[in-house]
Amino acid sequence: MPEPTQQPRHADSPARRQLDHALTALAATTPGRRRYIAEAGAEYLDQIDGRRLPLGYDRPFPAWDGARNRSDAYRMRRGCTVAAMLGLSVRPHDEYFPATVRAIITAVDAPVDRLVTAARTTGAPAAVALLHLLAGGAR
């Protein structure tokens, strides 16, 4: 009889499947492509989160029109680039895509965040940077 902690993991929602696929595809790319994907994702999220106006408009879309904003950001703010580079099949107005893009950016920034945390906790940022370079982290 299997223990409760050993139950098989399964993707039970479209959002989870999309996220799993995106993170798996991201892990298979080069560091340069990961950074490019994260930059494109940040541009997409700037419009989604209201930090940037829709391209060609002088004011944001109304709050009740989230699908239109997501669709415009997907087409005009490189959301389609993120999806294409990771092999994601998403619609421009997909409600789960912004959360997936946030997870992608977090995954790309995670090694940098760990280095910053290590530098702060040790109080020796130069030593942490040197160890990172000696370990081959600056490829």
Side-chain angles (χ1 to χ4, degrees):
M1 179 172 174
E3 295 180 26
T5 58
Q6 295 178 345
Q7 292 178 352
R9 184 173 160 257
H10 63 294
D12 55 353
S13 72
R16 186 65 201 184
R17 283 191 298 270
Q18 183 182 89
L19 179 61
D20 287 346
H21 179 82
L23 293 177
T24 301
L26 185 69
T29 63
T30 64
R33 287 177 66 94
R34 279 188 214 118
R35 178 58 45 202
Y36 184 78
I37 291 167
E39 288 170 3
E43 184 178 331
Y44 168 79
L45 288 176
D46 280 347
Q47 181 173 329
I48 297 295
D49 296 338
R51 293 185 298 268
R52 185 179 260 187
L53 291 174
L55 202 61
Y57 291 83
D58 59 353
R59 59 188 152 169
F61 292 121
W64 54 265
D65 202 0
R68 186 170 154 204
N69 189 33
R70 287 190 303 270
S71 182
D72 184 75
Y74 182 85
R75 289 184 177 99
M76 306 304 254
R77 298 287 184 196
R78 299 198 299 166
C80 57
T81 301
V82 174
M85 290 184 80
L86 294 176
L88 298 175
S89 176
V90 298
R91 294 178 185 213
H93 59 274
D94 188 330
E95 63 185 304
Y96 307 119
F97 192 56
T100 300
V101 173
R102 283 185 184 87
I104 289 166
I105 292 171
T106 301
V108 170
D109 290 343
V112 174
D113 293 342
R114 283 195 297 268
L115 284 173
V116 169
T117 301
R120 284 187 182 146
T121 57
T122 62
V128 171
L130 180 62
L131 287 174
H132 178 68
L133 290 173
L134 290 174
R139 287 182 213 158

